[in-house]
């Protein structure tokens, strides 16, 4: 474990990991994403009473969950103030699969299926014709009605990372800054990752553990797989926004005018 300084965007919550304000990013034309509107997080079940008091001050309108049914049933989203909870699985193929916690995965040897290639394939598939992101961007398209919003998955890194990329690119934040925000989860989830690796060490070989650690840490190649998939399919991000989400230049400008300062 290292003692890295936590970013200012990380909310001081006790019961959850990786709950961050997406505000503060600079756009290509010099504007800034407003704070207090868009948030990203890991699973929310562990929120404490004190955490709820802090979050209630934000007046969330939506909590958007990318997890599959088994994940959500094992660790259900709490009610945060008056927010509407929405769950649409980002990885539809796993929606009806029996859910196993991480210890069960390692104990049953299922970790051997895990590789960076598997993650690259997942990231490439996620942004294309995905009902989850379509609903997310529909919410973002009416920010005056639907924000503040927090979107989350289990760790707030993969499925949430792709969703965050789509939102920030729509707002005009350069990809390099989006990538930096994505990789920040390696810092904010350091304790979470270490707990997972310590658990895995009880069941896997030293060699397998090293491969797991290398694959699990977030890397540029993962997020780039999503962006490359978009450009292969649609050539430009602007065409992607229009054909996937119905966001034309005028609507994109309206979103930016509300979310930027």
């Amino acid at each position: 474990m290292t003692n890295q300084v936590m970013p200012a965007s990380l909310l001081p919550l006790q019961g959850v990991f990786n709950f961050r304000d997406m505000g503060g990013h600079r756009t290509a034309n010099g504007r800034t994403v407003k704070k207090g509107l868009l948030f990203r997080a890991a699973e929310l079940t562990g929120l404490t009473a004190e955490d709820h008091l802090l979050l209630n001050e934000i007046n969330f309108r939506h909590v958007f969950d990318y997890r599959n049914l088994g994940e959500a049933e094992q660790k259900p989203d709490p009610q945060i103030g008056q927010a509407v909870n929405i769950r649409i699985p980002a990885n539809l193929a796993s929606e009806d699969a029996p859910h196993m916690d991480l210890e069960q995965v390692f104990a049953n040897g299922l970790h051997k299926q895990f590789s960076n290639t598997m993650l690259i394939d997942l990231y490439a598939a996620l942004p294309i014709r995905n009902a989850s992101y379509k609903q997310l961007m529909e919410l973002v398209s009416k920010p005056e009605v639907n924000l503040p919003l927090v979107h989350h998955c289990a760790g707030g890194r993969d499925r949430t990372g792709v969703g965050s990329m789509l939102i920030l690119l729509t707002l005009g934040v350069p990809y390099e800054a989006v990538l930096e925000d994505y990789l920040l989860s390696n810092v904010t989830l350091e304790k979470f990752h270490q707990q997972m690796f310590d658990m895995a060490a009880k069941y896997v070989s030293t060699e397998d553990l090293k491969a797991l650690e290398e694959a699990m840490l977030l890397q540029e190649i993962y997020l780039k797989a999503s962006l490359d998939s978009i450009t292969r399919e649609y050539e430009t991000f602007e065409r992607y926004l229009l054909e996937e989400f119905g966001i034309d230049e005028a609507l994109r400008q309206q979103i930016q005018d509300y979310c930027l300062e």
Side-chain angles (χ1 to χ4, degrees):
M1 289 285 286
T2 60
N3 293 311
Q4 301 197 56
V5 176
M6 288 295 119
S9 60
L10 187 68
L11 272 63
L13 303 174
Q14 300 302 310
V16 299
F17 289 106
N18 206 15
F19 201 122
R20 292 192 263 142
D21 191 330
M22 294 170 61
H25 291 288
R26 296 293 295 273
T27 67
N29 63 5
R31 301 174 76 184
T32 302
V33 180
K34 293 177 184 176
K35 294 183 178 180
L37 288 180
L38 295 156
F39 297 80
R40 54 179 297 173
E43 60 91 4
L44 304 172
T45 300
L47 287 169
T48 67
E50 291 77 13
D51 292 340
H52 276 281
L53 288 175
L54 189 153
L55 294 180
N56 287 345
E57 294 178 4
I58 298 172
N59 292 319
F60 282 104
R61 289 180 174 170
H62 288 92
V63 174
F64 192 87
D65 184 0
Y66 298 111
R67 298 174 302 163
N68 63 39
L69 181 62
E71 291 175 291
E73 286 182 341
Q74 186 180 61
K75 294 186 175 182
D77 275 348
Q79 182 65 44
I80 299 177
Q82 300 301 310
V84 176
N85 287 5
I86 299 174
R87 186 191 68 82
I88 301 179
N91 186 7
L92 186 60
S94 66
E95 171 68 355
D96 297 319
H99 181 65
M100 285 189 279
D101 61 32
L102 284 173
E103 187 147 13
Q104 290 173 311
V105 169
F106 296 128
N108 288 290
L110 297 179
H111 64 280
K112 294 177 181 178
Q113 302 173 10
F114 189 84
S115 68
N116 64 343
T117 302
M118 185 183 79
L119 272 178
I120 290 169
D121 291 343
L122 173 65
Y123 274 83
L126 280 174
I128 306 301
R129 291 179 284 278
N130 190 319
S132 187
Y133 297 118
K134 287 181 186 292
Q135 180 62 55
L136 173 76
M137 297 305 288
E138 184 174 325
L139 292 172
V140 173
S141 293
K142 298 177 181 177
E144 68 284 353
V145 175
N146 296 320
L147 305 187
L149 169 149
V150 57
H151 60 126
H152 80 94
C153 52
R157 35 165 283 163
D158 301 307
R159 293 164 285 187
T160 303
V162 174
S164 296
M165 179 184 77
L166 300 184
I167 292 171
L168 291 175
L169 289 180
T170 299
L171 295 179
V173 176
Y175 173 72
E176 293 73 20
V178 176
L179 176 62
E180 185 177 345
D181 178 72
Y182 166 75
L183 294 175
L184 198 56
S185 286
N186 282 334
V187 177
T188 56
L189 288 172
E190 184 184 28
K191 183 178 177 183
F192 172 84
H193 286 154
Q194 192 58 52
Q195 289 174 351
M196 178 174 61
F197 299 149
D198 290 345
M199 180 195 301
K202 297 186 294 184
Y203 300 99
V204 309
S205 68
T206 303
E207 182 180 352
D208 282 353
L209 182 61
K210 184 173 185 297
L212 177 69
E213 291 175 352
E214 290 176 353
M216 273 301 295
L217 291 178
L218 297 179
Q219 306 165 43
E220 179 179 2
I221 193 172
Y222 296 155
L223 195 65
K224 187 67 160 49
S226 288
L227 188 61
D228 287 347
S229 186
I230 289 170
T231 54
R232 272 196 309 272
E233 188 81 17
Y234 293 103
E235 297 183 356
T236 67
F237 188 73
E238 290 71 24
R239 183 179 164 205
Y240 169 74
L241 283 181
L242 180 62
E243 297 196 16
E244 284 274 352
F245 310 121
I247 298 176
D248 60 16
E249 193 53 44
L251 179 53
R252 188 180 186 186
Q253 189 63 55
Q254 290 175 25
I255 298 168
Q256 291 179 357
D257 286 344
Y258 188 90
C259 295
L260 302 178
E261 55 189 10

